[in-house]
Amino acid sequence: MKNQNEIVGRPGDNHTGITLHPELVTEMIQGTSEFGPTTSGGAEQIAQNRVRVAQKSDPVATMPPSPNLPTERLPLIDKLGARLQFERTGVRLYEALIAKHDAFGSFPGGPSRADLEHIRDEEARHMALAQDLIIRMGGDPTVVTPCANLQSIASRGVGDVLVDPRTTLIECLDAIIVAELTDHENWEMLVAAVALSGEAAGFDGLEAKIREAERTEAEHLVKVRGWLAAAAKLAARAVD
């Protein structure tokens, strides 16, 4: 089993930096002259092409036809769909983080297995909450809404880090705080969207349940920040 204390801040076999190979600098510069660009144009032309393609492209996703659902309710269901997708992903992320804990153990001030299981279970409850709210509002929880599609793509890299067999628990905490920051921010935005939409009046306890989920996500963020602060102290002591 790898020891987290031995991994933090230790030099390894990374030879990508130019300072390790000063004798090759001249050859590298000569290579850029010998093997120049294979196409004409530059950054401006690439930007122009991006604009041209974007103007012709379809939306990244759309809401499905909903003859029995008021149009004004669709933006809120779109955001609830995003929370449903993200919380489902959150369960999987914490399952992967638990596996890292099983592989490497924790560190002083780091999470226990029970800590990670607790957050995973709360993510699962938030997933169930989002699903229930979508159904109550007349939506279909199986739909991949535009916001859900975008957030799925945006968060893909976090999962890649957590399931990489080479990454450690500390490295995975560095990655999962990205997901926690996004999750907390989007629950806050959902609270605001409910207030603006006026839908809370028609659904008993809607706003209260969303605010409770936002509060819980804020607690997750505090915990992960605390674990990373402990990891930073560990790294500082290793350097000393």
Side-chain angles (χ1 to χ4, degrees), residues 12 59 67-68 193 213:
N68 299 321

PDB file of all heavy atoms in Angstrom, residues 12 59 67-68 193 213:
ATOM      1  N   GLY A  12      10.269  12.911  -8.635  1.00  0.00           N
ATOM      2  CA  GLY A  12      10.149  11.614  -9.283  1.00  0.00           C
ATOM      3  C   GLY A  12      10.914  11.572 -10.589  1.00  0.00           C
ATOM      4  O   GLY A  12      11.982  12.178 -10.709  1.00  0.00           O
ATOM      5  N   PRO A  59     -28.606  23.736 -31.056  1.00  0.00           N
ATOM      6  CA  PRO A  59     -28.357  23.817 -29.608  1.00  0.00           C
ATOM      7  C   PRO A  59     -27.719  22.528 -29.094  1.00  0.00           C
ATOM      8  O   PRO A  59     -27.907  21.458 -29.680  1.00  0.00           O
ATOM      9  CB  PRO A  59     -29.752  24.017 -29.017  1.00  0.00           C
ATOM     10  CG  PRO A  59     -30.577  24.549 -30.135  1.00  0.00           C
ATOM     11  CD  PRO A  59     -30.027  23.939 -31.380  1.00  0.00           C
ATOM     12  N   PRO A  67     -46.756  18.980 -23.910  1.00  0.00           N
ATOM     13  CA  PRO A  67     -48.071  19.606 -24.126  1.00  0.00           C
ATOM     14  C   PRO A  67     -48.837  19.873 -22.837  1.00  0.00           C
ATOM     15  O   PRO A  67     -49.661  20.789 -22.779  1.00  0.00           O
ATOM     16  CB  PRO A  67     -48.808  18.587 -25.002  1.00  0.00           C
ATOM     17  CG  PRO A  67     -48.097  17.280 -24.763  1.00  0.00           C
ATOM     18  CD  PRO A  67     -46.672  17.638 -24.529  1.00  0.00           C
ATOM     19  N   ASN A  68     -48.575  19.084 -21.795  1.00  0.00           N
ATOM     20  CA  ASN A  68     -49.308  19.250 -20.535  1.00  0.00           C
ATOM     21  C   ASN A  68     -48.524  20.027 -19.488  1.00  0.00           C
ATOM     22  O   ASN A  68     -48.940  20.124 -18.334  1.00  0.00           O
ATOM     23  CB  ASN A  68     -49.686  17.874 -19.970  1.00  0.00           C
ATOM     24  CG  ASN A  68     -50.581  17.090 -20.911  1.00  0.00           C
ATOM     25  OD1 ASN A  68     -51.464  17.647 -21.548  1.00  0.00           O
ATOM     26  ND2 ASN A  68     -50.320  15.788 -21.016  1.00  0.00           N
ATOM     27  N   ALA A 193     -33.664  30.625  -8.714  1.00  0.00           N
ATOM     28  CA  ALA A 193     -34.580  30.368  -9.832  1.00  0.00           C
ATOM     29  C   ALA A 193     -35.988  30.072  -9.330  1.00  0.00           C
ATOM     30  O   ALA A 193     -36.981  30.512  -9.926  1.00  0.00           O
ATOM     31  CB  ALA A 193     -34.065  29.205 -10.671  1.00  0.00           C
ATOM     32  N   ALA A 213     -31.001  21.309   0.753  1.00  0.00           N
ATOM     33  CA  ALA A 213     -29.964  20.664  -0.053  1.00  0.00           C
ATOM     34  C   ALA A 213     -28.778  21.604  -0.255  1.00  0.00           C
ATOM     35  O   ALA A 213     -27.613  21.187  -0.178  1.00  0.00           O
ATOM     36  CB  ALA A 213     -30.535  20.241  -1.406  1.00  0.00           C
TER      37      ALA A 213
END
